[in-house]
């Protein structure tokens, strides 16, 4: 990686070692020590949650919800079974970080899940793995076997007498199954459709039992936090945005890929690490947090640091850290057509506004792109989007509207040119 | 009590109430599609979005828990904008083909669109078109109209107990469809028609027959089982076009069984009796009423004078009205005859102590903790009672079953004993003995239990019934028809008494309770239905009876009919009457006459005629009144149906209740070991239950009707006898034989063969639960 950041890495440190995904590499570098210590000392759950809260670890799946707070929602004295679920349904276009954790540091995720299971009193854990990465599903299963054989998983973990097991669940590639309650439905063998909340999973989750669902990167950060302390994690990043985070940068850069850097790093630094905008081109726009995050024009983006608060202030979302870079050759109408198609295709169809509205928006944008736009179309799109956002069971409705509203807001001229001239402003 | 404010009105909130519930309490209407009181909350249509103070986004009223101090606005700018937005989305892909849609005029989408829709659409793109689905003969589809509310899907899962419809596909491509192109075959499937808020699921027989606004609505009571489901008959030009449910929480809630819904088709059956007919040697003549009645009365007088009144037998259908049955009884007794009965399908017809009934309120079935069903093919006999029991199980009830077939009740059965029909009494004795061993007092049957065998299942059922608070032991139609009815009755009642359970009968005809109450059963000196045919009479007066189908043993009955000197048939359908009757008096069918039924919980329900009788048919009570007059009998001067009812029934509800009595016949039960060999399980199939359903083409085209045409046997039995599944098999019973297709059903007791009773294919066989042989063809 670039020399711009040389400090500690929470998740991807194994890449500096041979056989990065192996149990041997992990154990040789202090892996599973935290788990052993917790089990040996019977560390109270409150203490663990306290450290996680102190770390200001925020959910890495996109919503950025404080993990320690989420954990504290789980009923402590619930009599029946409880579950912990890891969300590796990495379906957000532009995001490809969790797959690298599974490939290059699966044991840190296992350790994180086992500790989460211990802390939350769960009976078992599930890792829901995206449908398109079957080879990683298999390698994850192998890692689980290794961990079981080494006594870190299964019965009598580390000789403590405590039992906890993890299971993998293969998704089938539906974007909506990344929504945590649709994911639960899918594990239960039902059609992946989000549930209405309340009740939230912490009270009515998997099989109707209290359940905590965290993103892969979130859970994989837990062992590091408990080993080095919540304060150390917090200090890696900035207040309210603890830790490093993996950014998946793609699009028009010379060196796309995953980069683990502290939260709060200026966007310019990440762009530089990724080799800058591809040769001879100029930065036009950036989608900073995966396809559902509103697009930001270059000038706004270049003034942002990469953390939840800064990007939110600029009017978008840090999301899953999927940074999609677009240079001046990009037709924003065509780009939006592609994004709108994605949400139209991936809407589960359950709620009326999203089921009907995503198709409507896509068709109008498609028309504009194909030179059949009408002057009233832009207002129509803003209005239709407004009727979807905030009116659906899950956030997919909002996610589908984010791009539409932001593209029109920031690049309205391009859309108007398309409508008026029946051709693209870019390159004409 | 916590209080919520909706549209500036305040109301106290019940525990667990939603904003929708609270709004309903206040009489505030919130538009909705997916929400339905009887179904789970799915909150997916989003039509009921309302503004909730302090909530950043509009919230669905149906799914938002009402909370103390919550302030809700259902008509604020924010709420209306959200509701109109959803309405616009619902309409963009809806075909708006209201002028050719059967739902037009009674469509929720249409109604709500008037309030929330625009006058023109902003949607200028191509609309979605969805491929048609074939759901079978009852439900027509226009799936392009579907708004994906998922009510029909949830109904299957939650009420019918079987998920016949699902919603595969994502987004715009999501479609409601049956599994793997199968049709919808449950006994409650027609309810999706009312549940569907648009014209996607409509009645197939009613399709394109009339517009909803042309139809007059007349209240009716379903005449097929002892529930007495409330319904509206939709009428135009003196014809019933369809039947739809009327809400009555105490009876049918908002549901109808398919037979309640579609049996009206029989009113136009080809073999309707529309003119009086008399037989002269072997020729039938249509005559006027005066001549027919005079001939009937004259012939009856002759029989009485030559052979005595006891030479006459009176048989009435328990689906006739209170008034008709009362006059039939009055006619018989006026002639000095005690041979009268409505239990032709029963092997054992003892004199009634009182009218056998459910022994509890229908609505209380849902809240039972423990149930024992004895000899009940409950989904087929009582589709909506089965539904209530399903809800009880969902609430935690333990359902126990003693029967000859382990039919799928589409719910969890806690314990069961599945034995052939003649072993049912022994099975009950085992349960009673297990209770006795557990220290319960089983009363008068205790002496008979010495030989009883207590199996693990018997012990489990006893333990189940010994626990819980609200319980019931219920005898079904099969137990009632059974030759050992009295023993089953005694034992089941003893079990109920020992465990503090309600005891009752799942009465399977519309007015059997009423028939008993008005004395349509033999007096001490009279013969019951079984004896009346076993000891043939010189003359029979039949009311609404199809003897070859309605009887317990059609072979015996056939002889009785063929040897009689006089058979007077008062009937709405000719059926086979021209073969055995001498006078056919056409009486009004269901929906054509006014009257009353007493349902299984002893509730009197009256109804008016929805249409005029077909042709020259006349209401049965009027025909019987004139017959009484012509025979010179006293007290036949009724001027209206109310007079007849007033004379026949106790003056008030308490008096009616006093006539209900489930006391078992005296005597000790016999639990003798059952005979070796195969036994027939010959229940009345769901769509053979009465003359109407037998003639409803849509019902006859369903898989359930096909099921009744097959002889069903356990796989082990088929192997043992060297028979072949799917091939014709010869059935021998007593002197009769028949050929049917052989089917395999491993849910049957191994030595029981299910061969439907009340069916044309089996009308040349013998008794319904008697010995039977299967032979290779």
């Amino acid at each position: 990686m670039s020399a711009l950041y040389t400090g500690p890495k929470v998740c991807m440190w194994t890449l500096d070692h041979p056989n990065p995904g192996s149990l041997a590499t992990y154990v040789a570098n202090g892996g599973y020590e935290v788990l052993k210590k917790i089990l040996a000392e019977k560390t109270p759950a409150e203490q663990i949650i306290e450290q996680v809260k102190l770390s200001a670890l925020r959910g890495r799946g996109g919503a950025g919800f404080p993990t320690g707070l989420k954990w504290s929602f789980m009923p402590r004295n619930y009599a029946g079974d409880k579950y912990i679920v890891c969300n590796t349904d990495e379906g957000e276009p532009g995001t490809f970080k969790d797959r690298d954790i599974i490939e290059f540091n699966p044991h840190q995720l296992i350790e994180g899940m086992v500790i989460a299971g211990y802390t939350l009193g769960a009976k078992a854990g599930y890792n829901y793995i995206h449908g398109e990465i079957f080879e990683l599903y298999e390698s994850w299963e192998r890692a689980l076997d290794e961990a079981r054989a080494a006594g870190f998983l299964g019965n009598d973990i580390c000789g403590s007498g405590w039992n906890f097991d993890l299971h993998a669940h293969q998704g089938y590639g539906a974007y909506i199954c990344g929504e945590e309650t649709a994911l639960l439905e899918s594990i239960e063998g039902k059609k992946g459709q989000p549930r209405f909340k309340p009740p939230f999973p912490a009270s009515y989750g998997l099989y109707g039992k209290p359940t905590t669902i965290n993103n892969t990167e979130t859970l994989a950060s837990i062992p590091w936090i408990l080993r080095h302390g919540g304060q150390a994690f917090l200090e890696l990043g900035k207040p309210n945005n603890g830790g490093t985070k993996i950014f998946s940068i793609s699009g028009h850069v010379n060196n796309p890929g995953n980069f683990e850097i502290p939260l709060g790093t200026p966007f310019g630094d990440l762009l530089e690490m990724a080799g800058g905008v591809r040769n001879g081109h100029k930065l036009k726009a950036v989608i900073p947090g995966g396809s559902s995050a509103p697009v930001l024009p270059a000038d706004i983006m270049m003034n942002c640091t990469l953390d939840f608060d800064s990007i939110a202030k600029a009017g978008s979302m840090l999301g899953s850290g999927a940074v999609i870079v677009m240079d001046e050759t990009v037709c924003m109408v065509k780009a939006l057509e592609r994004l709108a198609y994605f949400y139209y295709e991936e809407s589960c169809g359950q709620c009326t506004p999203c089921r009907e509205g995503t198709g409507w928006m896509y068709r109008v944008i498609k028309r504009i792109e194909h030179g059949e736009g009408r002057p009233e179309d832009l207002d129509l799109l803003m209005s239709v989007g407004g009727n979807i956002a905030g009116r659906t069971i899950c956030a997919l409705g909002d996610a589908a509207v984010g791009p539409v509203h932001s593209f029109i807001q920031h690049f309205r001229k391009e859309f108007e040119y398309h409508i008026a001239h029946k051709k693209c402003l870019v390159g004409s | 009590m916590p209080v919520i404010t909706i549209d500036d009105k305040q109301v106290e909130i019940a525990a667990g109430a939603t904003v929708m519930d609270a709004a309903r309490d206040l009489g505030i209407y919130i538009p909705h599609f997916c929400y339905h009181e009887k179904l789970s909350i799915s909150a997916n249509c989003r039509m009921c979005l309302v503004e909730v103070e302090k909530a950043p986004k509009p919230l669905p009223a149906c799914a938002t828990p009402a909370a103390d101090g919550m302030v809700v606005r259902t008509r604020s700018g924010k709420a209306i904008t959200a509701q109109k937005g959803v309405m616009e989305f619902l309409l963009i892909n809806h075909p708006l083909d209201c002028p050719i849609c059967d739902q037009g005029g009674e469509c929720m989408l249409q109604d709500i669109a008037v309030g929330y829709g625009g006058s023109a659409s902003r949607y200028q793109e191509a609309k979605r078109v969805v491929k048609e689905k074939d759901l079978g003969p009852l439900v027509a589809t226009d799936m392009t109209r579907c708004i994906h509310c998922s009510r029909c899907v949830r109904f299957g899962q939650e009420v019918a107990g079987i998920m016949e419809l699902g919603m595969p596909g994502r987004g715009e491509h999501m479609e409601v469809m049956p599994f793997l192109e199968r049709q919808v075959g449950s006994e409650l499937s027609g309810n999706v028609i009312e549940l569907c808020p648009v014209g996607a699921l409509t009645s197939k027989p009613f399709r394109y027959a009339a517009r909803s606004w042309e139809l007059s609505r007349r209240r009716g009571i379903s005449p097929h089982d002892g529930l007495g489901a409330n319904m509206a008959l939709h009428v135009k030009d003196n014809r019933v076009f369809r039947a739809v449910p009327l809400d009555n929480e105490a009876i049918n809630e908002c549901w109808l069984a398919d037979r309640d819904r579609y049996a009206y088709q029989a009113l136009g059956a080809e073999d309707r009796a529309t003119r009086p007919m008399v037989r002269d040697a072997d020729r039938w003549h249509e005559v006027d009423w005066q001549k027919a009645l005079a001939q009937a009365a004259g012939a009856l007088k002759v029989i009485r004078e030559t052979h005595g009144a006891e030479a006459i037998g009176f048989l009435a259908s328990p689906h006739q009205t209170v008034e008709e049955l009362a006059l039939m009884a009055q006619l018989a007794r006026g002639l000095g005859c005690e041979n009268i009965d409505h239990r032709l399908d029963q092997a054992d017809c003892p004199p009634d102590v009182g009218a056998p009934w459910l022994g509890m309120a229908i609505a209380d079935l849902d809240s039972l903790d423990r149930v024992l069903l004895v000899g009940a093919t409950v989904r087929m006999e009582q589709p909506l009672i089965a539904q209530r029991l399903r809800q009880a199980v969902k609430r935690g009830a333990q359902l126990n079953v003693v029967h000859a077939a382990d039919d799928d009740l589409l719910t969890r059965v806690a314990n069961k004993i599945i034995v052939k029909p003649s072993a049912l009494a022994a099975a009950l004795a085992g349960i009673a003995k297990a209770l006795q061993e557990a220290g319960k007092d089983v009363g008068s049957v205790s002496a008979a239990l010495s030989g009883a065998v207590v199996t693990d299942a018997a012990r489990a059922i006893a333990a189940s019934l010994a626990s819980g608070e609200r319980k019931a032991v219920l005898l079904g139609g099969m137990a009632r028809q059974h030759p050992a009815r009295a023993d089953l009755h005694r034992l089941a009642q003893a079990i109920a008494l020992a465990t503090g359970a309600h005891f009752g009968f799942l009465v399977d005809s519309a007015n059997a309770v009423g028939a008993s109450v008005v004395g349509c059963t033999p007096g001490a000196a009279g013969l019951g239905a079984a004896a009346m045919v076993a000891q043939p009479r010189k003359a029979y007066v039949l009311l609404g009876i199809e003897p070859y189908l309605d009887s317990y043993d059609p072979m015996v009955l056939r002889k009785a009919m063929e040897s009689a000197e006089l058979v007077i048939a008062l009937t709405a359908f000719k059926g086979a009457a021209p073969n055995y009757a001498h006078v056919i008096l056409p009486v009004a069918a269901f929906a054509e006459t006014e009257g009353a039924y007493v349902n299984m919980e002893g509730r009197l329900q009256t109804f008016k005629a929805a249409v005029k009788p077909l042709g020259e048919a006349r209401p049965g009570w009027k025909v019987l009144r004139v017959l009484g007059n012509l025979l010179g009998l006293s007290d036949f001067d009724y001027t209206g149906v109310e007079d007849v009812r007033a004379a026949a029934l106790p003056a008030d509800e308490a008096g009616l209740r006093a006539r209900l009595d489930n006391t078992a016949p005296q005597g000790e039960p016999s639990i003798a070991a059952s005979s070796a060999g195969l036994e027939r399980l010959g229940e009345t199939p769901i769509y053979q239950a009465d003359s109407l359903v037998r003639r409803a083409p849509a019902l006859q085209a369903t898989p359930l009707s096909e099921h009744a045409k097959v002889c069903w046997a356990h796989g082990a039995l088929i192997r043992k006898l060297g028979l072949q599944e799917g091939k014709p098999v010869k059935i021998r019973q007593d002197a009769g034989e028949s050929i049917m297709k052989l089917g395999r059903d491993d849910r049957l007791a191994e030595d029981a063969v299910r061969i439907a009773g009340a069916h044309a294919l089996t009308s040349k066989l013998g008794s319904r639960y008697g010995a039977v042989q299967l032979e290779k063809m």
Side-chain angles (χ1 to χ4, degrees), chain A residues 191 349 356 363 367 391, chain B residues 46 93 125 167 169 172 174:
Chain A
K191 186 179 176 188
E356 306 293 344
R363 289 187 177 93
R367 239 187 25 224
R391 312 268 170 87
Chain B
R46 317 305 287 176
N93 275 308
E125 324 305 317
M167 284 180 123
E172 261 188 23
M174 180 163 76

Side-chain angles (χ1 to χ4, degrees), chain B residues 275-460:
Chain B
R275 296 195 64 185
M277 293 168 77
V278 296
R279 183 157 76 175
D280 174 13
D282 279 337
R283 297 187 53 149
W284 280 97
H285 303 280
E286 290 185 346
V287 295
D288 61 26
W289 269 105
Q290 208 176 356
K291 191 166 174 198
L293 285 165
Q295 187 153 339
L300 268 180
K301 269 187 201 159
V302 170
I303 296 284
R304 185 172 66 157
E305 278 154 22
T306 2
H307 305 285
E310 68 279 5
I312 310 172
F314 289 82
L315 292 166
S317 159
H319 297 290
Q320 301 297 129
T321 65
V322 160
E323 297 77 5
E324 290 162 340
L325 293 166
L327 289 177
M328 181 84 161
Q330 195 182 338
L331 190 71
R333 297 208 162 88
L335 289 169
C337 176
E338 282 291 339
N339 304 333
I340 176 162
D341 212 339
H342 65 272
R343 301 167 295 180
L344 190 54
D345 63 349
Q346 208 162 294
D348 172 32
C349 309
D352 274 337
V353 181
W357 68 299
L358 185 63
M360 60 186 293
I362 290 166
D364 292 343
L365 289 167
D366 312 34
S367 51
L368 288 171
D369 301 324
R370 302 287 183 268
V371 184
L372 172 59
L373 282 182
V374 181
T377 308
V378 68
R379 280 177 57 200
M380 301 298 110
E381 294 169 13
Q382 306 283 0
L384 288 173
I385 297 287
Q387 187 274 131
R388 283 194 185 264
L389 294 176
R390 222 171 276 138
Q391 303 308 326
V393 172
K394 216 184 267 178
R395 293 190 181 102
Q398 293 177 3
L399 179 59
N400 301 289
V401 169
V402 174
H403 196 23
D406 180 18
D407 295 323
D408 188 354
L409 301 185
L410 304 177
T411 190
R412 215 175 81 82
V413 173
N415 306 289
K416 58 199 168 196
I417 301 177
I418 305 301
V419 289
K420 66 178 176 179
S422 67
L424 288 180
L428 287 185
I431 297 169
K433 193 170 182 182
L435 286 166
Q436 198 176 34
E437 287 172 4
K440 300 277 182 191
D441 179 10
V442 293
S444 64
V445 303
S446 63
L449 299 180
S450 57
V453 180
V454 181
T455 60
D456 288 347
R459 202 165 282 124

